[in-house]
Amino acid sequence: QVQLVESGGGLVQPGGSLRLSCVVSGSIFSLYTMGWYRQAPGKQRELVASITRVGIPKYADSAKGRFTISRDNAKNTVFLQMNSLKPEDTAVYYCNGKPIVLANEYWGQGTQVTVSS
């Protein structure tokens, strides 16, 4: 089975940084487009960043200039480096994987990011 296991969330002060990690198992990771989504209470889940199989990133406007998505195919891991964090970044962050031939989408369990003084 395809599994996505996230880590790296926590509490950080405004202006601080966190790095989220997502380890994928059970499939050929290099064939997946990966993404990070987030969902705050009372809001819809939104795409924060995505990265193609060969490492080409895209970002939501809210993330541009502050967040960096990357992947290490040898370690089956996708990262989200988050800098200059703001309180409005507070959300549960989810890892998402889409195979090159879309038969399904896979989600991690989510990791809580809280930005607060």
Side-chain angles (χ1 to χ4, degrees), residues 25-73:
S25 63
S27 191
I28 305 175
F29 176 75
S30 62
L31 299 181
Y32 282 68
T33 293
M34 302 299 300
W36 287 96
Y37 291 72
R38 68 186 181 189
Q39 187 168 25
K43 298 182 179 180
Q44 294 187 353
R45 189 172 299 185
E46 63 176 348
L47 177 65
V48 178
S50 65
I51 186 166
T52 71
R53 295 175 293 112
V54 294
I56 301 173
K58 293 198 296 185
Y59 299 96
D61 288 341
S62 60
K64 289 179 180 178
R66 300 189 299 125
F67 294 2
T68 302
I69 189 170
S70 61
R71 68 191 296 160
D72 186 339
N73 286 348

Side-chain angles (χ1 to χ4, degrees), residues 4-107:
L4 285 66
V5 180
E6 303 171 357
S7 62
L11 175 65
V12 66
Q13 293 183 340
S17 298
L18 285 173
R19 191 178 79 157
L20 307 183
S21 300
C22 173
V23 179
V24 179
S25 63
S27 191
I28 305 175
F29 176 75
S30 62
L31 299 181
Y32 282 68
T33 293
M34 302 299 300
W36 287 96
Y37 291 72
R38 68 186 181 189
Q39 187 168 25
K43 298 182 179 180
Q44 294 187 353
R45 189 172 299 185
E46 63 176 348
L47 177 65
V48 178
S50 65
I51 186 166
T52 71
R53 295 175 293 112
V54 294
I56 301 173
K58 293 198 296 185
Y59 299 96
D61 288 341
S62 60
K64 289 179 180 178
R66 300 189 299 125
F67 294 2
T68 302
I69 189 170
S70 61
R71 68 191 296 160
D72 186 339
N73 286 348
K75 297 181 178 179
N76 290 4
T77 304
V78 63
F79 305 94
L80 185 67
Q81 177 67 45
M82 302 187 294
N83 299 326
S84 302
L85 283 163
K86 306 173 182 179
E88 50 262 45
D89 295 318
T90 296
V92 178
Y93 284 70
Y94 297 92
C95 182
N96 169 268
K98 299 177 182 178
I100 187 169
V101 178
L102 186 60
N104 209 340
E105 292 188 67
Y106 301 96
W107 295 91

